[in-house]
């Protein structure tokens, strides 16, 4: 997880450097650690919030990072918030900084999902497809103890996140300077669509509200937010043409 985040920051640095001054680019390293800490804490606290009963009864377990338990949605919200604050603090162009880090985030997610493979977690429903994934008995949900093979949803998301990375990289190369913020809004829409697809297959959702996974609800909200942002950016820039 840590190595994937570091790779994401390195990618963000080189993307930012391509479109901004050398002095501004160097500032990325100054606040990269704050961004990583904010994203990590956001992901952890959001995960704990989705399991309120357990963590209310075991509050010290919130600090037990060795047991895992991170949620990407919490990391996204905390990370974006941290970048906005840090970019303003370091007097960097906010939207350009966001675009660079979001592009790196997509790659980091693609790599980081392989942690689910090694932990035998975040898998989907039973399947006999050729690319089926064996899950040890100890990791299977109670209702699926009689099944051995499941959809490797971590792999689905890893591949799709990698595709998103290349799409965002293309967008930032072609439209980054002309439409700052477009890459970020596109990520919110694209990743949320991927997450809705993956959640439709997964069997280990942390929380359901009236039978709907919370991840789907948050994803829909992010799609709406991303769409509003895209329309605003395009409308604003076309007025300037």
């Amino acid at each position: 997880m840590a190595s994937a985040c570091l790779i994401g920051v390195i990618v963000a640095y080189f993307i930012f450097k391509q479109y901004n001054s050398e002095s501004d680019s160097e500032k990325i390293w100054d606040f990269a650690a704050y961004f990583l800490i904010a994203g990590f804490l956001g992901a952890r606290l959001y995960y704990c919030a989705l399991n309120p009963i357990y963590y209310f009864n075991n509050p010290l377990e919130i600090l037990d990072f060795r047991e895992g338990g991170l949620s990407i949605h919490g990391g996204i919200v905390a990370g974006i918030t941290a970048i906005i604050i840090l970019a303003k603090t370091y007097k960097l162009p906010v939207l350009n900084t966001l675009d660079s880090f979001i592009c790196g985030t997509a790659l980091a997610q693609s790599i980081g999902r392989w942690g689910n493979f090694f932990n035998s977690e975040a898998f989907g429903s039973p399947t006999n497809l050729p690319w089926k994934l064996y899950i040890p008995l100890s990791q299977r949900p109670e209702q699926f103890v009689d099944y051995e093979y499941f959809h490797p949803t971590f792999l689905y998301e890893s591949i799709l996140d990698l595709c998103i990375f290349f799409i965002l990289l293309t967008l930032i190369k072609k439209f980054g300077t002309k439409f700052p913020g477009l890459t970020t809004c596109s990520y919110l829409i694209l990743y949320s669509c991927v997450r809705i697809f993956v959640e439709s297959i997964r069997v280990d959702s942390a929380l359901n509200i009236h039978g709907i996974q919370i991840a789907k609800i948050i994803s829909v909200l992010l799609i709406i937010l991303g769409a509003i942002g895209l329309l605003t950016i395009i409308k604003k820039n076309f007025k300037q043409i």
Side-chain angles (χ1 to χ4, degrees):
M1 179 67 181
S3 59
C5 291
L6 180 59
I7 291 173
V9 170
I10 293 173
V11 170
Y13 166 76
F14 282 107
I15 291 175
F16 186 88
K17 184 178 180 180
Q18 187 173 354
Y19 302 101
N20 298 274
S21 67
E22 183 72 28
S23 59
D24 279 350
S25 300
E26 293 304 318
K27 294 178 182 178
I28 296 295
W29 298 116
D30 294 337
F31 71 66
Y34 299 111
F35 161 72
L36 293 176
I37 292 172
F40 184 79
L41 289 178
R44 177 59 176 172
L45 293 175
Y46 182 80
Y47 176 84
C48 294
L50 295 181
N51 300 273
I53 297 177
Y54 177 80
Y55 287 104
F56 180 80
N57 293 322
N58 304 274
L60 293 180
E61 293 294 318
I62 296 176
L63 303 177
D64 189 4
F65 300 111
R66 295 172 300 175
E67 295 299 318
L70 301 173
S71 175
I72 186 60
H73 280 139
I76 290 172
V77 173
I80 288 178
T81 302
I83 290 173
I84 292 173
I85 295 173
L86 291 166
K88 289 183 176 181
T89 301
Y90 284 83
K91 295 181 173 56
L92 296 175
V94 175
L95 293 179
N96 294 88
T97 306
L98 266 177
D99 286 345
S100 300
F101 271 90
I102 282 295
C103 197
T105 296
L107 180 60
Q109 286 179 245
S110 178
I111 299 171
R113 273 300 171 189
W114 282 86
N116 299 139
F117 168 72
F118 294 110
N119 294 331
S120 294
E121 61 186 9
F123 51 88
S125 56
T127 183
N128 284 315
L129 290 171
W131 53 84
K132 59 192 176 185
L133 174 69
Y134 174 78
I135 297 297
L137 179 61
S138 60
Q139 297 297 107
R140 299 174 203 165
E142 184 177 349
Q143 65 270 36
F144 296 116
V145 293
D146 294 329
Y147 296 88
E148 293 184 332
Y149 299 99
F150 299 79
H151 278 283
T153 49
F154 84 90
L155 178 61
Y156 300 160
E157 184 168 334
S158 178
I159 293 173
L160 291 171
D161 285 344
L162 186 61
C163 291
I164 290 175
F165 166 70
F166 285 115
I167 292 173
L168 298 182
L169 193 60
T170 301
L171 287 175
I172 206 169
K173 284 182 177 180
K174 290 188 175 182
F175 307 108
T177 55
K178 187 176 181 181
F179 298 97
L182 182 143
T183 302
T184 298
C185 293
S186 298
Y187 165 82
L188 294 178
I189 295 172
L190 291 171
Y191 176 69
S192 295
C193 289
V194 167
R195 189 57 185 269
I196 289 172
F197 161 70
V198 170
E199 285 295 320
S200 299
I201 306 173
R202 281 179 61 170
V203 296
D204 61 344
S205 297
L207 178 66
N208 292 346
I209 298 179
H210 298 297
I212 303 175
Q213 296 101 320
I214 186 64
K216 284 185 178 180
I217 296 174
I218 299 299
S219 294
V220 170
L221 293 176
L222 290 179
I223 288 174
I224 294 172
L225 180 63
I228 292 174
L230 275 181
L231 292 174
T232 302
I233 291 168
I234 293 173
K235 184 178 179 181
K236 176 182 178 182
N237 283 275
F238 271 121
K239 281 185 177 180
Q240 297 175 356
I241 297 176

